[in-house]
Amino acid sequence: MSETNQPSKVDKHAVHTAGGARVGATILGAGMALPKTVLTNADLEKLMDTSDEWIRQRTGITQRRIAKRELGETTASLGTRALQAALDDAGMRPTDLDQIVVATITPDMPTPSAACQIAANLGAGNIAAFDLGAACSGFVFALNTVDALIRSGNARNVGVVGADIITRHVDYSDRGRGTSILFGDGAGAFVVTGSDDPDTGVLARAMHTDGSRWPDLFIPRADDDFPADFDHDGHGVDINCLHMNGRAVFKFAVSTFGDLIQETLDKVGLKPEDVDHYVCHQSNKRILDAARERFGLPEEKLHINIDRYGNTVAASVCLCFSELKAANRIKPGQLVMFLGFGAGLTWGSSLWRL
Ligand code: UT7
């Protein structure tokens, strides 16, 4: 991957001379990368007993992207393209980065991490690079982690990537129709840098887990990974396949999403209307509509793009923000609340002043 010719805006080494001064964090660039192949609801009708009408009514999705290895589309290659786009947006070079954090549950290999592969692809040099796994909450957890690393003086210019190829784990037969129709592949990335203004960056965060509910959403690698009472064939398609209790996760998501917004606002004494953008994990349009209605938010404050991409796991939050930024709807000083929830079960928020 070639480096951008644009001059770098940020001093990579400034962190080492910060001398304990308070610093803020800012999202300087954002980018995204999508697989070429579009999988429409009409395509799914040919694979399983479903209909375009059912999928649109129950989820709001009309199409999603699906990655193909034969086209060179891997988690690392999509993540690399997304981070290069974010660097271009920020006017920075890969060698300006001192860390890369990748939120993913589908690295191409158990090791090396997707972050190591992306660092190598970009020619980012000998920097800190690691993956963080919190499923659909992963990118939000990564943003909170990176803000803390920067504010504590342990990082300065960080590439934060959300990338997943979840369609490797879905079953496109009748048996998997309650799950497969939701998901798509993609990657998004931010470049987050230290800022001289300590009032920028995370104002409030929440990160939660209820590990006892892991059987609601899991990908087993072996027969004994299944919960004891789970009806499965023990072989073949059930292994390595995403299993979801859709109704249970739906109920959890509708209540949790609203509670999470309220919890985050309460931490800083803000009202729902004070926030300029709610950038949410795209799980199901009905879940997002419920949150919007509970707080009386206008449509333009809660961006929805699930119709085009489906649920892209760790990528969805950064795909949303990248689209808003590319459309010039993101302005300095605005308040943006990032929200995610998913397998684990995990859920979290990150409220930023830009
Ligand atoms: O990001 C990770 C977090 N995951 C989520 O947020 C997912 C949350 N859950 C959901 O989004 C929804 O539960 C689904 C979209 C997965 C399912 O929608 P639902 O309204 O909860 O449907 P359901 O599972 O209650 O099924 C209703 C009916 C059933 O038929 P019967 O039993 O009523 O005769 C299903 O068999 O719809 C049937 N059905 C389908 N019909 C056509 C299930 N999947 C399909 C399908 N096409 N693809």
Side-chain angles (χ1 to χ4, degrees), residues 106-129:
T106 55
D108 299 310
M109 296 181 266
T111 192
S113 65
C116 287
Q117 290 183 292
I118 292 170
N121 291 345
L122 288 171
N126 180 10
I127 62 171

Side-chain angles (χ1 to χ4, degrees), residues 14-290:
V15 64
H16 304 301
T17 58
R22 279 180 72 220
V23 292
T26 192
I27 301 165
L28 203 57
M32 56 195 271
L34 294 162
K36 286 193 185 68
T37 310
V38 174
L39 189 70
T40 64
N41 292 348
D43 295 328
L44 290 175
E45 284 176 353
K46 293 176 200 143
L47 298 171
M48 63 186 78
D49 180 15
T50 192
S51 68
D52 173 52
E53 192 191 0
W54 191 96
I55 299 172
R56 275 191 289 109
Q57 278 182 0
R58 300 287 179 132
T59 70
I61 301 168
T62 56
Q63 63 178 51
R64 68 290 288 146
R65 302 294 181 99
I66 178 166
K68 299 205 163 166
R69 270 192 190 275
E70 58 270 32
L71 299 179
E73 293 169 338
T74 61
T75 299
S77 73
L78 291 176
T80 302
R81 279 170 45 205
L83 184 49
Q84 182 62 61
L87 285 162
D88 291 345
D89 189 39
M92 289 172 65
R93 304 181 181 95
T95 48
D96 292 325
L97 297 173
D98 50 50
Q99 302 213 5
I100 294 176
V101 180
V102 180
T104 185
I105 54 166
T106 55
D108 299 310
M109 296 181 266
T111 192
S113 65
C116 287
Q117 290 183 292
I118 292 170
N121 291 345
L122 288 171
N126 180 10
I127 62 171
F130 60 93
D131 289 358
L132 182 157
C136 301
S137 310
F139 192 76
V140 174
F141 282 25
L143 284 179
N144 286 333
T145 304
V146 165
D147 173 84
L149 284 169
I150 289 174
R151 285 180 190 273
S152 62
N154 288 295
R156 182 71 187 180
N157 304 323
V158 186
V160 195
V161 180
D164 270 305
I165 298 187
I166 193 66
T167 63
R168 286 177 186 154
H169 300 282
V170 301
D171 170 10
Y172 289 111
S173 73
D174 285 346
R175 195 176 157 88
R177 69 176 184 163
T179 302
S180 58
I181 48 105
L182 271 184
F183 291 96
D185 302 327
F190 290 177
V191 172
V192 183
T193 73
S195 136
D196 294 337
D197 179 354
D199 294 329
T200 58
V202 174
L203 302 184
R205 67 177 68 78
M207 298 202 282
H208 297 288
T209 302
D210 180 357
S212 72
R213 291 198 57 184
W214 71 265
D216 285 341
L217 204 48
F218 66 102
I219 301 175
R221 287 227 163 109
D223 197 25
D224 54 12
D225 285 339
F226 287 90
D229 56 350
F230 199 89
D231 174 26
H232 68 99
D233 69 2
H235 308 284
V237 291
D238 274 353
I239 300 287
N240 215 27
C241 183
L242 178 66
H243 297 275
M244 179 175 75
N245 182 345
R247 278 182 210 187
V249 177
F250 187 90
K251 265 197 195 163
F252 160 83
V254 168
S255 62
T256 303
F257 218 49
D259 294 349
L260 188 57
I261 291 175
Q262 193 61 58
E263 177 190 356
T264 313
L265 292 170
D266 288 347
K267 286 187 177 195
V268 275
L270 291 174
K271 298 195 189 72
E273 58 270 26
D274 295 333
V275 174
D276 296 289
H277 302 282
Y278 292 84
V279 180
C280 305
H281 171 52
Q282 305 285 302
S283 51
N284 183 322
K285 185 170 182 299
R286 286 153 60 209
I287 295 171
L288 300 172
D289 284 343

Side-chain angles (χ1 to χ4, degrees), residues 1-12:
M1 186 66 60
S2 66
E3 293 183 6
T4 173
N5 291 325
Q6 298 176 50
S8 171
K9 287 183 186 161
V10 187
D11 176 4
K12 177 176 179 174

